[in-house]
Structure formats: structure tokens, C-alpha cells
Amino acid sequence: MAKPRIFISSTFYDLKQIRTDLDLFIDTLGYETIRNEEGDIPYGKDDALEEYCYKEIKSIDILVSIIGGRFGSESKRNNSSISQIELRTALKENKQVYIFIEKNVLAEYETYLINKDKEISFRYVDDVRVYQFIEEIKNLNNNNNIKGFDTASEISKYLKDQFAGLFQRFLEEQTRVKEVSLIKNLEKTAQTLNKIVTVLSDENKEKDDEINKILMINHPLVEELRTILDIPYNFYIEGFNDMKELLSARGYKHEVILPWEEEGEYEVFEKIKQ
């Protein structure tokens, strides 16, 4: 059975325990966790190792980005860290993203905003580029839901509520799919009735034949055959012989089966094996 795939993105050494605790939490939900240090990402020989992390993000469902005070390993791409590019990649791929920032870092970020044009040192980050990245994601138009945290349990609780909300939304959407299907069927019926009204309104000597043709084209049996046989054009059936000819032309054979200890016959069609 397919499982939601959740990628945990963060710097490693300072957030190692947080990553481990989240892995255990996600595992209890029955979801699949993707963590670089656990060998969950297949690496090849053609690109830099970090590139395979970015490629893996294309096949995940959710990315959990955890931002602490360390900048982390610098990417070979540009003046960014690997974890920062992981988040950017997920956003570019339109993945569901949850962003968590250590509360001390998040609080000091306000000081950064006031003093970002000055040469000052910050207490809770080892590189001002951490705050520059937070400013970048806070300025996004969407998918920038950011929560502060002190412990892994706070992240787990928030994710648990969010996952429950996603599942509830999924159930609502399934109900809407059924409603849309019903509306489409009603629209088709209305179109059929409109055609009949148009024919009845015209002075047409063959109006009875035209009405019957419209009804037969839109008959439920014809609709079912059109779907099963993958027929893209309109057709209608006037009798059982027409249906036999149609099925025979589509590679079916007709057999008559006598029921056991009963009178009468069963008419069946079986697909001819190629």
C-alpha cells in the first residue's frame, strides 16, 4: 500500500535529536520518512551528492523544514546551504511544506530586521544568511506557514493536527467528486430533453423517428457500451441483433448457455482471446 512520503530537511548535527524524534513520530503514523543520514536517498555517480537530495524531493508528498541556528553545509550551487535549497526545491515543485524555526532564532529575527543594514553579530545564529533566508521565505506569497518550536514534541503535535486536517479535506473532496459527477449526468439528461423539445417544436414528419434516435443514443445501455468498448462517436441500437453485430465487430463472440435444471437460455458474450 502506498504511503505518504515525508522528507525531513534541516542541518544535521545541531538538530540530530529533533530529526530522530520526528522520524519515530512519523513512523507511528504509518508514513514513510525520508532522511539523508538513514540512507533513504539513492545516490548515483554522475552528480554531486546533494543533487540527488533535490531529485528525491520531486517524488515526495510533504517536506518538513526545520531551521535552527546553524547555517549548515554550503551548497555547490550558490551562496546557500543544502537545507535551504531543499526547501526552495520543494516550493518550486509545489509540494506541501511545513516550516519550523527555533523560537530563539525566530525572536532574534526581529532584531535582524531592524539592524540588517548594520555590521553586528547575532547571538542565536552562526551566519547572518540564516536570517536572510527566513526573510526570503516570510516574503513568499504562499506555502510559507511558519511555526516556532522549542522541542520535537511541539513539531509532532502541530504536524499531527495538520495531517488530520489534510485527511478531512481529502474526504470532503471525494464527496465533491461524486456531486460533480451527478451534476454532469443531470446536464447530459437536460441536453437530451432539449434536443427532444427542439424536434417536437419543428414541423418534421419524421419527428417520432428522430425522438427515438435521440433517446437510443443517450440510452444507459449505449452509454455503458460506449465506455466499455471505447467508442468515441455517437451510435444507437435498435435491437438485440444490432448489439450482437456491434460486439462481434469489436472482437466478442456470442454463446448461448443453457442453465442447469432451469428452462430458458442465457445469452452471453465473451471477449475473443487474441
Side-chain angles (χ1 to χ4, degrees):
M1 180 181 295
K3 301 178 181 179
R5 305 183 77 237
I6 302 176
F7 191 105
I8 299 179
S9 173
S10 74
T11 52
F12 177 69
Y13 291 105
D14 57 326
L15 297 170
K16 183 176 181 181
Q17 189 57 51
I18 295 286
R19 293 170 65 87
T20 300
D21 292 345
L22 280 180
D23 192 352
L24 292 173
F25 161 70
I26 293 170
D27 186 62
T28 62
L29 297 177
Y31 302 161
E32 181 182 355
T33 307
I34 308 300
R35 284 200 298 159
N36 182 28
E37 69 269 27
E38 293 297 316
D40 297 324
I41 298 173
Y43 293 106
K45 61 181 178 62
D46 298 325
D47 296 311
L49 295 181
E50 66 180 85
E51 294 297 327
Y52 291 96
C53 293
Y54 311 145
K55 290 178 181 179
E56 186 69 15
I57 290 172
K58 294 182 179 181
S59 65
I60 65 167
D61 301 295
I62 296 171
L63 182 133
V64 177
S65 176
I66 309 167
I67 300 174
R70 293 191 59 178
F71 179 76
S73 301
E74 189 155 353
S75 170
K76 296 181 183 297
R77 284 191 178 185
N78 52 38
N79 190 33
S80 301
S81 70
I82 291 176
S83 58
Q84 289 175 351
I85 295 185
E86 287 174 344
L87 178 54
R88 289 194 187 112
T89 302
L91 293 171
K92 182 180 178 181
E93 295 292 330
N94 200 29
K95 301 296 182 179
Q96 178 69 51
V97 168
Y98 296 102
I99 304 169
F100 299 91
I101 303 176
E102 283 187 339
K103 287 181 179 178
N104 287 333
V105 174
L106 200 54
E108 192 177 56
Y109 170 73
E110 300 301 325
T111 304
Y112 157 79
L113 290 177
I114 299 172
N115 299 279
K116 63 180 181 178
D117 295 328
K118 302 176 183 177
E119 290 292 335
I120 66 171
S121 298
F122 295 96
R123 179 179 180 183
Y124 292 108
V125 299
D126 64 357
D127 192 314
V128 71
R129 287 179 293 177
V130 174
Y131 286 137
Q132 291 170 353
F133 182 66
I134 293 174
E135 185 176 13
E136 175 189 330
I137 59 179
K138 275 183 169 287
N139 288 329
L140 293 172
N141 293 326
N142 55 14
N143 218 343
N144 60 344
N145 185 13
I146 299 172
K147 297 291 292 184
F149 77 94
D150 280 322
T151 64
S153 61
E154 291 178 303
I155 298 176
S156 299
K157 184 180 183 304
Y158 183 79
L159 288 177
K160 186 177 181 180
D161 292 340
Q162 288 295 309
F163 293 165
L166 288 176
F167 182 64
Q168 194 271 340
R169 190 188 310 165
F170 168 78
L171 295 177
E172 285 184 351
E173 289 175 353
Q174 294 305 300
T175 301
R176 291 194 188 101
V177 168
K178 294 179 181 179
E179 292 173 350
V180 169
S181 177
L182 176 60
I183 291 172
K184 287 183 178 179
N185 288 334
L186 290 174
E187 289 176 348
K188 195 161 190 177
T189 301
Q191 291 172 1
T192 301
L193 292 174
N194 285 335
K195 291 178 182 178
I196 294 175
V197 171
T198 300
V199 171
L200 289 174
S201 300
D202 296 336
E203 294 182 359
N204 190 339
K205 296 180 180 179
E206 299 179 352
K207 61 185 177 182
D208 290 337
D209 291 338
E210 291 294 323
I211 292 172
N212 288 332
K213 184 181 295 184
I214 292 171
L215 291 174
M216 291 305 299
I217 289 175
N218 295 277
H219 193 280
L221 172 61
V222 174
E223 289 290 328
E224 189 71 18
L225 287 173
R226 182 183 291 116
T227 300
I228 294 174
L229 301 177
D230 192 24
I231 299 176
Y233 48 82
N234 287 330
F235 67 95
Y236 64 94
I237 295 174
E238 293 185 340
F240 187 66
N241 287 333
D242 283 355
M243 188 175 72
K244 287 197 296 183
E245 292 296 329
L246 173 64
L247 292 173
S248 296
R250 291 278 168 167
Y252 287 79
K253 65 178 180 179
H254 177 221
E255 293 183 356
V256 177
I257 300 177
L258 297 177
W260 183 254
E261 295 182 348
E262 290 185 17
E263 295 181 357
E265 299 176 343
Y266 288 143
E267 302 279 353
V268 298
F269 288 89
E270 180 181 355
K271 182 67 175 179
I272 299 173
K273 296 182 180 178
Q274 301 297 331

